[in-house]
Amino acid sequence: MNKSPLQLARYQYQPKLPGMLRNGISEICVKNGNPTESVADQEKIKALFPNTYGKNEITFQKGQNTSAAKKQVVGVILSGGQAPGGHNVICGLYDALKATDKENVLYGFKGGPSGLLENDYLIFDDEYINAYRNTGGFDIIGSGRTKLETEEQFAIVAENCKNHGITALVIIGGDDSNTNAAVLAEYFAANNTGVQVIGCPKTIDGDLKNEDIECSFGFDTATKTYAEIVGNIERDANSAKKYWHFVKVMGRSASHVALETALQTQPNICLIGEEVAAKKMSLAQITDYIADSVAARAAKGWNFGVALIPEGIVEFVPEFSVLIAEINELLAGSKADDFNALPSWEEKYAFIQNGLTEASMAVFAILPQGIQQQLFLERDPHGNVQVSLIESEKLFSAMVKENLAARKAAGTYTGKFSPLHHFLGYEGRCAFPSNFDADYCYSLGYNAFMLIQYGFNGYLSKVSNLSKPAEQWIAGGMPITKMMNMERRHGHDKPVIRKALVELEGKPFTFFADNREKWAEETCYIYPGAIQYFGPTEVCDTTTRTLALEKA
Ligand code: FBP
């Protein structure tokens, strides 16, 4: 395989571990913390997790290693969407496992959770691992979105583990995958399999966090990559002075990615889904808000700007989520076939008009036709509209265009509006991990092995104090049940990890809210440039603005 000079140089990078893990395996011991409680619904979660609920948080510290000598055979999977640094989690895990005992073995199950079910695996060795150090992507073993959630699946996994003599599984995933890790850990404990489960917090979306897990890995690199591109777009906008750029950024639900990208680049507009929901903003109000900025800038002769739109925005607009729910109902079961059989858009439109309530039809009617049709095209396996496929950047630019036309007719706006559209998603998920993510991920993996070695089950690998230099990071573990609550999913109450949405009282949002009025009317762009891997620490080792503000 051909390798770029950067890839070759990154192989040589030695990720930084938290100070307390730097003394060698023989000098790492456990310090017990307090027993934990789930974030809500304590009695219900406790009843569902009798073997793994309420355990203590722990941290590691320098001291005599007292873990029992035992040959470890560990299995690892990557689960869900790619996030920069996944390879380093596996490298850290491998290095700690081999440093403890050369006879220890690491299995990689391929293609995500399905690899565990289908017994599709490889066994890591030095040569294989070394080709992936400090690189982006999940191609080391692949990933997948198969859900591990039924007793039948758990029994198959247990059987496969038994056949390989596996003592522990490491699940590298987001909120859903770690929810499943917790349920699997409970199953293993209840059935005395002797297999432990440790999770690692992954997702570029940044929505797997609490007071212990300060951020999920991949968020740092992905947002720095998006911020580089948005900064470049801003500079082009400010040079050419003729386009308004509508940039949708990934983040299936929460708006952390959009907020962080905005904090790094100071665009004219950034929508935050959580705020839209809290203020119950309508599409028309959001459109007005963007059009106000366009008009104010046009009045200064600036017919250009940049607006960030979070991928998950439309689900937060109350009237839009009602519309989506009605469309799902309208096309439920065989009704979708009736709809698809209609030969023309006019007939389909009449069908829709007949099926929607008056309020939803009013919302539907103001959407550009392209978006109207998108709502009826793609369905997920449950037959629902795939909201993430809606081109919300085009939706808002089209609505702003109409709004400005009305202002022009009323004589209140005289500018020019030429919108361009971008979607930044996959561009950031497999980038070479920033130094922060390379260090953080390697530490998460290394630490996951220490949790295994000390016999913990149902824990998330935890590395905190992340806004400080790595030397001062704190390594330890948090029972996954601490993040759980009960939620309604597909008609059933289920124990799940609570998604961390943008907190409107939190410092990152407050900073943004305090400044956005100025950013909307003036040109306050910041151009972060590309991620730097070599050079001064203030350029190469900075964390996200979100983390810096949260910990300030
Ligand atoms: P995870 O939650 O699995 O980490 O994935 C997040 C994400 O990158 C979202 O930002 C995005 O909406 C989604 O995955 C895209 O999924 P897919 O890779 O299946 O297209």
Side-chain angles (χ1 to χ4, degrees), residues 79-83 145 174-175 202-205 207 250-253 311 388 426 429 499:
S79 184
Q82 282 73 253
R145 291 199 184 275
D175 55 337
K202 171 232 73 165
T203 177
I204 64 154
D205 289 3
D207 55 8
M250 237 181 203
R252 188 191 298 273
S253 176
E311 181 185 23
S388 66
Y426 302 96
R429 296 201 314 182
K499 231 184 225 314

Side-chain angles (χ1 to χ4, degrees), residues 76-79 83 85-86 88-90 92-93 138 169-179 181 197-203 208 213 215-217 440-449 451-452 458-463 476 478 480 483 497:
V76 62
I77 60 164
L78 291 160
S79 184
N88 265 26
V89 179
I90 297 178
L93 175 64
F138 273 9
L169 286 178
V170 174
I171 296 184
I172 304 171
D175 55 337
D176 276 346
S177 308
N178 278 300
T179 291
V197 180
I198 300 296
C200 284
K202 171 232 73 165
T203 177
L208 175 59
I213 306 298
C215 74
S216 55
F217 79 76
Y440 181 41
C441 291
Y442 187 83
S443 302
L444 284 171
Y446 201 96
N447 186 59
F449 184 73
L451 291 167
I452 292 168
Y459 275 64
L460 206 53
S461 177
K462 167 184 150 182
V463 176
M478 183 205 71
I480 303 176
M483 291 183 125
I497 290 178

Side-chain angles (χ1 to χ4, degrees), residues 272-513:
I272 300 295
E274 290 82 344
E275 182 185 29
V276 165
K279 292 185 174 165
K280 297 190 174 35
M281 288 174 81
S282 66
L283 287 175
Q285 282 171 317
I286 300 170
T287 305
D288 236 0
Y289 167 64
I290 303 173
D292 281 348
S293 165
V294 176
R297 290 176 61 75
K300 295 179 180 176
W302 296 335
N303 290 301
F304 66 93
V306 175
L308 296 189
I309 314 287
E311 181 185 23
I313 188 77
V314 287
E315 275 183 291
F316 286 95
V317 182
E319 59 184 6
F320 207 93
S321 48
V322 173
L323 170 67
I324 303 251
E326 286 188 24
I327 292 176
N328 288 337
E329 193 53 39
L330 191 61
L331 297 189
S334 62
K335 287 184 274 179
D337 297 333
D338 300 342
F339 175 80
N340 289 328
L342 296 170
S344 68
W345 175 242
E346 286 66 33
E347 283 162 275
K348 286 181 171 153
Y349 197 92
F351 177 99
I352 296 163
Q353 205 158 16
N354 250 336
L356 295 181
T357 59
E358 209 175 305
S360 286
M361 191 59 211
V363 177
F364 187 75
I366 58 168
L367 302 177
Q369 197 185 86
I371 302 285
Q372 288 178 337
Q373 290 174 339
Q374 267 172 30
L375 287 171
F376 285 85
L377 279 179
E378 308 276 355
R379 333 288 304 158
D380 74 7
H382 305 286
N384 296 329
V385 173
Q386 290 202 59
V387 181
S388 66
L389 296 181
I390 296 171
E391 292 174 304
S392 42
E393 71 283 23
K394 292 190 181 155
L395 165 68
F396 286 111
S397 88
M399 293 185 65
V400 166
K401 195 171 191 164
E402 263 185 40
N403 182 301
L404 293 171
R407 292 181 191 220
K408 208 165 232 174
T412 55
Y413 164 75
T414 53
K416 281 197 199 112
F417 179 66
S418 306
L420 291 177
H421 306 106
H422 315 261
F423 171 42
L424 302 181
Y426 302 96
E427 295 82 347
R429 296 201 314 182
C430 285
F432 277 99
S434 60
N435 286 354
F436 173 84
D437 268 329
D439 298 345
Y440 181 41
C441 291
Y442 187 83
S443 302
L444 284 171
Y446 201 96
N447 186 59
F449 184 73
M450 296 318 303
L451 291 167
I452 292 168
Q453 186 65 15
Y454 272 102
F456 293 102
N457 181 32
Y459 275 64
L460 206 53
S461 177
K462 167 184 150 182
V463 176
S464 55
N465 210 26
L466 296 172
S467 59
K468 297 282 180 345
E471 166 71 33
Q472 296 170 42
W473 289 358
I474 299 167
M478 183 205 71
I480 303 176
T481 48
K482 187 175 177 191
M483 291 183 125
M484 296 179 100
N485 67 170
M486 300 299 292
E487 285 177 26
R488 199 93 186 138
R489 297 274 170 99
H490 305 302
H492 301 281
D493 285 335
K494 292 219 158 179
V496 295
I497 290 178
R498 180 188 275 181
K499 231 184 225 314
L501 300 177
V502 169
E503 283 178 22
L504 302 182
E505 309 297 320
K507 288 182 189 156
F509 179 80
T510 313
F511 179 87
F512 164 72

